[in-house]
Amino acid sequence: MLLRNDTLSSLRKGDILQILVFVVLSVIISLLAYSFNALLVPIMAIFVGVFVFLYKFYPTYILYFFLVFSIFQDFFVVIGSRISSNALLIDKIDEPVILLLLILTLFRNGVKKSFHNISQIEIICLLFFIVGLLSSIKNNVSMVISLEQSFLTLKGLILFYIYKCHEYDADELIHVSKRIFAPISIVILIGAMIEFISPLRFKSIVWQSSVMSERLGMIGLQSFFYHPGDYGWFMIVVTLIYAIVFMFFREKKYFIIGIMFLIGSLLSLRRKPLLGFIFGILISYILFTTHNNRRISIKKIAAFGLIGGFVLFVVSPFLDALLQYTIAEYFTDKAVLQARNALLLGSVKIAIDYFPLGVGFGRYGSWMSWVNYSPVYNDYGLSNIWGLSLQHPNFIADTFWPMILGETGILGLILFSIIMLLIIRQLIIAFKSNISIRTQMFTLIGLTILLEGLVESIAQPQFVKPPSAYITFAILGIVISLSNSEKQNYRKTPAQ
């Protein structure tokens, strides 16, 4: 049984104000808790109490606002540092909140029923966790390091389960998208435009920094995100959403808005979002046309190609810089090439040497292997490579699949791949079986975002780092829940 939530019509302005006050208070409480250790316990107790109270009455809206917080989390840290010198807790509060949400979800849904109704995806996740834990025990990895890294690796999938266990309404989702997430996306795009006009001034005011992310003399935009890669990914996700909406409803305004966000993504000078967009939208278009018994229109593809060519022509100076940077990075810059290749090749060697379980959580290519520098890097000669050394560990946590292969071995790689395939399969089945056009649209949006993320995960930790991991898995959980609810309602209708 899924969790029920009040409809949007019953949510008063005063209730929304309470939730907004909660978001502000949570930031302030985090600062106070970190600044005054003596008050940590009572303050956090108040925080948890307020959180639980609001979750009880407005569960899905707490989930929505968690996503809003994750989008601006790094920005909140910078703002918080201007109030207090100890704003680090804001950067760490998302993970305790995920654990709290998991506990609340299990108890609200019923612990016994939650475990009884567990799906194949959760079973494979549990097997993956057991494999990593056994590997850690076998290789004498500290249990604290192992458990912490296992949570960091699986927190996206934990969020997937949390969001999947709540019930959503299509009208409510559309309203929330228009009233909350669309304005946020526009604000981020406007921030990028201001940064484009006056990058130094924007950086100094927003980020209190003059450091620019340059690629061959061109500045990669980041807006209110900590890194241009996160900004480029978010813009391309918004582009994909508008592209799918346009695919269903054929209104020109959605196409124009999508082009605006696509240009915004290109100005981040990141190539992976663009490649992910092409792959995701191509697969989705083929699935959409074949499911609706339509022929793949060569004319439409040609028209999109011409419009895309025009957009590329407009931003050609940026793309030229991006191409030159890519050539330099992969064929000239031996330091970068050596570090990234070494991580991939090293994971293959580890998978062979430590077959089939790998070296354990927190030992290779992960955050914990960085903060607690792993001896594995010394064993495989990686500690001598710039970017993987103890003094310069810049690229250690910069991959995803090499981390999975190195830490959990070939068995872990197979299990995590099965998880991704099961989610894709469930989304495709849901897309083909849905009755409602809107639910079908939401399902295709989720599939497209996942496909884009898979492309990006080839060269970065897409499924473990916020906000990409949080937003991706939350959307997947929402659309699967929406689809399941629609199927259940359809089955009940004939009996009524």
Side-chain angles (χ1 to χ4, degrees):
M1 182 177 178
L2 294 173
L3 311 187
R4 297 192 178 276
N5 182 54
D6 296 332
T7 58
L8 186 65
S9 59
S10 65
L11 196 67
R12 302 181 301 274
K13 291 183 179 179
D15 299 325
I16 297 177
L17 181 61
Q18 289 179 23
I19 298 175
L20 290 173
V21 169
F22 157 74
V23 174
V24 175
L25 283 176
S26 66
V27 176
I28 297 174
I29 288 172
S30 301
L31 288 170
L32 291 173
Y34 194 83
S35 300
F36 306 102
N37 293 328
L39 297 176
L40 179 61
V41 175
I43 287 175
M44 292 311 295
I46 294 172
F47 169 79
V48 172
V50 174
F51 188 93
V52 171
F53 173 79
L54 290 172
Y55 174 84
K56 179 181 179 180
F57 294 100
Y58 314 109
T60 58
Y61 279 88
I62 290 297
L63 297 181
Y64 295 146
F65 276 98
F66 175 77
L67 294 181
V68 174
F69 175 80
S70 70
I71 292 171
F72 293 105
Q73 186 174 7
D74 292 325
F75 179 65
F76 287 159
V77 172
V78 174
I79 297 299
S81 65
R82 298 175 185 178
I83 303 172
S84 169
S85 58
N86 299 309
L88 184 61
L89 194 60
I90 300 176
D91 188 44
K92 305 296 181 182
I93 199 172
D94 54 315
E95 285 143 9
V97 167
I98 292 173
L99 285 174
L100 181 57
L101 283 171
L102 177 62
I103 294 170
L104 292 172
T105 300
L106 290 173
F107 277 95
R108 187 179 177 93
N109 201 28
V111 177
K112 291 183 179 180
K113 188 168 289 187
S114 296
F115 285 104
H116 179 72
N117 294 329
I118 202 167
S119 70
Q120 288 181 326
I121 296 172
E122 283 76 42
I123 292 173
I124 303 298
C125 283
L126 182 61
L127 290 176
F128 175 82
F129 171 73
I130 292 172
V131 166
L133 206 60
L134 290 175
S135 178
S136 298
I137 295 171
K138 180 182 177 182
N139 294 290
N140 299 315
V141 181
S142 165
M143 190 55 62
V144 174
I145 293 175
S146 178
L147 289 175
E148 188 168 349
Q149 183 55 51
S150 67
F151 174 73
L152 294 176
T153 303
L154 291 170
K155 62 182 180 180
L157 287 167
I158 292 173
L159 273 178
F160 168 75
Y161 174 77
I162 292 170
Y163 280 77
K164 188 180 73 169
C165 285
H166 291 75
E167 191 171 282
Y168 308 90
D169 178 74
D171 291 331
E172 178 183 292
L173 282 173
I174 292 172
H175 188 94
V176 169
S177 300
K178 288 181 178 180
R179 296 297 178 89
I180 298 178
F181 292 104
I184 286 174
S185 303
I186 292 171
V187 167
I188 292 172
L189 183 61
I190 291 173
M193 295 303 100
I194 296 173
E195 182 185 9
F196 176 76
I197 296 170
S198 182
L200 186 60
R201 187 171 181 80
F202 180 87
K203 290 277 288 186
S204 62
I205 294 175
V206 175
W207 293 103
Q208 291 186 321
S209 171
S210 59
V211 179
M212 301 290 177
S213 175
E214 294 189 22
R215 294 192 166 186
L216 295 178
M218 308 294 288
I219 298 175
L221 303 183
Q222 67 185 82
S223 188
F224 296 103
F225 289 90
Y226 180 75
H227 192 275
D230 295 327
Y231 161 75
W233 167 82
F234 184 81
M235 288 289 101
I236 215 68
V237 164
V238 178
T239 304
L240 286 169
I241 292 173
Y242 278 105
I244 298 299
V245 174
F246 171 75
M247 197 180 295
F248 275 83
F249 298 107
R250 303 293 179 181
E251 294 186 26
K252 293 182 180 179
K253 64 179 180 180
Y254 298 125
F255 182 81
I256 295 171
I257 295 172
I259 291 295
M260 289 170 54
F261 283 103
L262 176 60
I263 294 174
S265 178
L266 292 174
L267 295 181
S268 70
L269 297 183
R270 293 306 184 270
R271 55 188 171 269
K272 290 184 289 292
L274 179 60
L275 295 175
F277 169 80
I278 294 171
F279 177 71
I281 204 67
L282 181 62
I283 298 299
S284 296
Y285 178 71
I286 293 173
L287 185 63
F288 176 79
T289 52
T290 53
H291 175 67
N292 291 283
N293 297 320
R294 300 180 184 179
R295 293 182 178 180
I296 299 177
S297 174
I298 302 299
K299 291 183 179 180
K300 289 180 180 179
I301 294 177
F304 282 123
L306 289 173
I307 296 172
F310 175 74
V311 173
L312 295 179
F313 173 76
V314 172
V315 296
S316 59
F318 294 91
L319 290 178
D320 182 60
L322 184 60
L323 177 61
Q324 292 183 45
Y325 181 84
T326 301
I327 294 172
E329 182 179 26
Y330 285 96
F331 299 100
T332 306
D333 192 336
K334 294 181 179 180
V336 176
L337 179 63
Q338 187 178 15
R340 292 181 174 175
N341 283 348
L343 274 175
L344 177 59
L345 295 175
S347 67
V348 175
K349 292 179 181 178
I350 289 171
I352 295 172
D353 295 342
Y354 291 83
F355 181 86
L357 300 178
V359 292
F361 285 126
R363 277 294 179 259
Y364 190 82
S366 60
W367 173 252
M368 292 305 295
S369 73
W370 178 345
V371 296
N372 297 278
Y373 193 77
S374 173
V376 173
Y377 299 123
N378 292 316
D379 297 341
Y380 283 84
L382 302 177
S383 58
N384 299 321
I385 299 173
W386 192 94
L388 305 179
S389 65
L390 178 62
Q391 296 76 20
H392 303 284
N394 305 54
F395 300 133
I396 281 181
D398 214 27
T399 60
F400 179 73
W401 295 108
M403 176 194 73
I404 297 295
L405 181 59
E407 293 194 340
T408 60
I410 187 65
L411 190 55
L413 179 66
I414 292 172
L415 288 173
F416 209 97
S417 299
I418 291 174
I419 292 171
M420 293 290 103
L421 290 174
L422 284 174
I423 295 176
I424 292 173
R425 176 177 174 271
Q426 191 168 354
L427 288 168
I428 292 175
I429 292 174
F431 170 76
K432 291 182 177 180
S433 61
N434 276 323
I435 306 163
S436 166
I437 295 295
R438 291 177 301 179
T439 305
Q440 192 181 56
M441 178 188 70
F442 281 122
T443 307
L444 193 59
I445 286 173
L447 176 62
T448 309
I449 292 174
L450 178 58
L451 293 174
E452 192 279 337
L454 285 171
V455 172
E456 293 214 38
S457 70
I458 295 172
Q460 68 178 28
Q462 186 72 10
F463 296 129
V464 294
K465 70 168 187 174
S468 59
Y470 295 169
I471 295 175
T472 298
F473 285 111
I475 290 175
L476 294 176
I478 289 171
V479 298
I480 287 177
S481 171
L482 190 65
S483 173
N484 291 339
S485 296
E486 185 175 271
K487 290 177 185 177
Q488 291 175 3
N489 293 334
Y490 176 71
R491 289 169 186 167
K492 293 177 181 178
T493 301
Q496 295 173 355

